[in-house]
Amino acid sequence: VQQRGLYRLATPLGEVSAELSGRFLHAAAPGEHPARRAEPVSGQSAAAAEAGPVAEPEVLLRVEGLKKHFALGRRLLRALDGVDLELRTGEVLAVVGESGCGKSTLWRTALHLQPPTAGRVVFRGRPVSPRDVRGLRAFRRQVGVVFQDPYASLNPRLQVEEIVAEPLAVAGWPRRERRERVRDLLGLVGLRPEHAAARPGELSGGQRQRVAIARALAASPCLLVADEPVSSLDVTIQAQVVGLLRELRERLGLAYLFITHDLGLVPALADRVAVMYLGRVVEVAPVQELYRHPAHPYAEALLAAMPDLDGRRPRAALRGEVPSPLDPPPGCPFHPRCPRPRPECREERPPLRDVGGHLVACHRA
């Protein structure tokens, strides 16, 4: 304790233990460790960087003017209110924001698990339409989903082998080939062969999430949607699962749509960040650029609210609460909470435009 500089005269043992534990968990948290913050997340090696610029990756998934409204009596709940976003091949795009901002509704609507009210989804240059049943099935076969709660998303009555093989059975794989594929997938996510006979209740939370990842990868997708994939795990297991996702991305060339409310996780995995507020995207930028120089006051407030055990980051609390999507404010939806609103913010909705490499929906920007 003295060598770590934490010794204080007559400090109770419980307080010393708590401080040491806090520093250990802080170091284990993915995205918060200084060494992790310095690592590139783009997957490009140093040799490749020295070789010169590379070709711009193609757009894998694009949503244009996407809206999702729910009728509640005579009123409309605007869960998504005009989202424009694109995900490139092999890229990790993190979608962040407070609870209720529309993050989960975005990916569910983009996958047509719930029909959009307006707008369209384009995958590899082709529009996705529920009228095109064959095209919609082909699109969904190329997308895997990892849900927030691995215990709730896994059938407790089935063995791990049956759970992981379920997408393969739907696709018509022969039983022998399914078993071989399941064995390879379990090894890929860091599970042992004997885990194939276990049931979800016999596994730890981290092991269950690895099973969920294996199931999402069963049909060899090119896009993985991860909806709060580590929020139910402790920080040490979070670091392991995030490390696994990074390794899978490098080995398989996957693109991720990474949904999270924890901004501390984002630098460990993502290339770009999309900040959502009240069903709209208010800023999109590369991770390091947004974390160093946020252009939207909401993104700035989110970053300032991150836990900081070192006490080096300025603190700023968001005032007020998120307005109801049943009755959103006119003009900029953030203006009732903005520390520096302009008169036009109360009347005009700012468009999402390019400002110094950031896509920002803010009159001040």
Side-chain angles (χ1 to χ4, degrees):
V1 174
Q2 288 176 339
Q3 292 176 353
R4 297 281 293 183
L6 301 178
Y7 179 78
R8 294 192 299 269
L9 184 63
T11 300
L13 181 59
E15 293 184 18
V16 175
S17 175
E19 186 165 357
L20 286 172
S21 299
R23 288 179 179 268
F24 169 75
L25 294 178
H26 182 55
E32 281 294 303
H33 194 281
R36 290 193 180 93
R37 286 200 300 267
E39 293 177 358
V41 294
S42 64
Q44 183 182 11
S45 65
E50 294 177 359
V54 295
E56 185 75 13
E58 67 173 357
V59 175
L60 181 66
L61 179 71
R62 178 186 291 116
V63 297
E64 301 173 351
L66 198 63
K67 295 184 179 182
K68 180 58 184 177
H69 298 168
F70 297 94
L72 297 179
R74 297 181 179 180
R75 307 175 70 186
L76 284 180
L77 189 152
R78 296 172 173 83
L80 293 179
D81 203 17
V83 173
D84 295 292
L85 204 61
E86 66 180 32
L87 172 67
R88 301 160 188 160
T89 301
E91 180 188 42
V92 178
L93 175 65
V95 181
V96 304
E98 294 171 287
S99 297
C101 69
K103 301 186 300 295
S104 295
T105 305
L106 171 61
W107 75 259
R108 292 192 182 107
T109 307
L111 268 58
H112 282 269
L113 299 180
Q114 50 193 22
T117 304
R120 69 172 189 162
V121 179
V122 180
F123 183 74
R124 284 184 165 167
R126 300 185 61 180
V128 179
S129 171
R131 297 187 183 91
D132 181 8
V133 177
R134 181 176 297 179
L136 184 59
R137 289 177 178 173
F139 163 58
R140 288 176 176 168
R141 279 197 296 268
Q142 299 181 71
V143 182
V145 181
V146 181
F147 296 94
Q148 179 175 358
D149 185 353
Y151 192 77
S153 65
L154 303 178
N155 191 331
R157 298 182 179 182
L158 299 182
Q159 294 180 332
V160 166
E161 180 178 4
E162 299 172 292
I163 293 171
V164 177
E166 192 171 11
L168 304 175
V170 172
W173 284 47
R175 184 179 298 272
R176 178 178 297 179
E177 294 182 13
R178 292 204 302 263
R179 288 184 174 180
E180 294 177 357
R181 175 65 173 164
V182 169
R183 184 178 65 249
D184 294 340
L185 286 168
L186 294 182
L188 186 65
V189 299
L191 295 174
R192 298 189 298 273
E194 54 266 30
H195 286 128
R199 288 181 169 80
E202 302 170 11
L203 304 176
S204 67
Q207 290 171 334
R208 286 196 291 265
Q209 198 60 294
R210 290 173 187 268
V211 172
I213 294 172
R215 180 180 61 181
L217 296 175
S220 300
C222 61
L223 169 61
L224 200 67
V225 176
D227 187 7
E228 303 277 9
V230 297
S231 62
S232 62
L233 308 175
D234 63 62
V235 291
T236 54
I237 305 302
Q238 284 183 7
Q240 295 174 16
V241 174
V242 169
L244 171 64
L245 291 173
R246 293 179 65 176
E247 180 182 353
L248 291 173
R249 177 205 180 180
E250 295 173 359
R251 294 181 61 178
L252 305 178
L254 296 170
Y256 291 160
L257 186 62
F258 181 52
I259 312 296
T260 183
H261 66 272
D262 187 351
L263 275 74
L265 293 174
V266 173
L269 187 63
D271 299 308
R272 291 189 303 141
V273 190
V275 182
M276 289 193 67
Y277 184 78
L278 208 62
R280 301 171 183 174
V281 172
V282 297
E283 184 169 2
V284 184
V287 172
Q288 299 299 334
E289 285 297 317
L290 186 136
Y291 275 58
R292 291 171 183 166
H293 307 290
H296 196 283
Y298 178 60
E300 183 180 354
L302 287 181
L303 292 171
M306 289 173 57
D308 181 21
L309 295 182
D310 296 329
R312 294 178 296 183
R313 191 165 51 239
R315 307 291 294 172
L318 271 173
R319 63 181 186 180
E321 298 181 357
V322 181
S324 171
L326 285 169
D327 188 22
C332 175
F334 187 64
H335 86 260
R337 306 174 72 190
C338 182
R340 302 176 297 275
R342 289 183 173 181
E344 60 267 30
C345 298
R346 297 177 174 86
E347 300 175 358
E348 302 175 15
R349 174 178 172 177
L352 192 67
R353 61 184 189 273
D354 192 334
V355 180
H358 295 226
L359 294 177
V360 189
C362 179
H363 293 299
R364 295 186 66 256

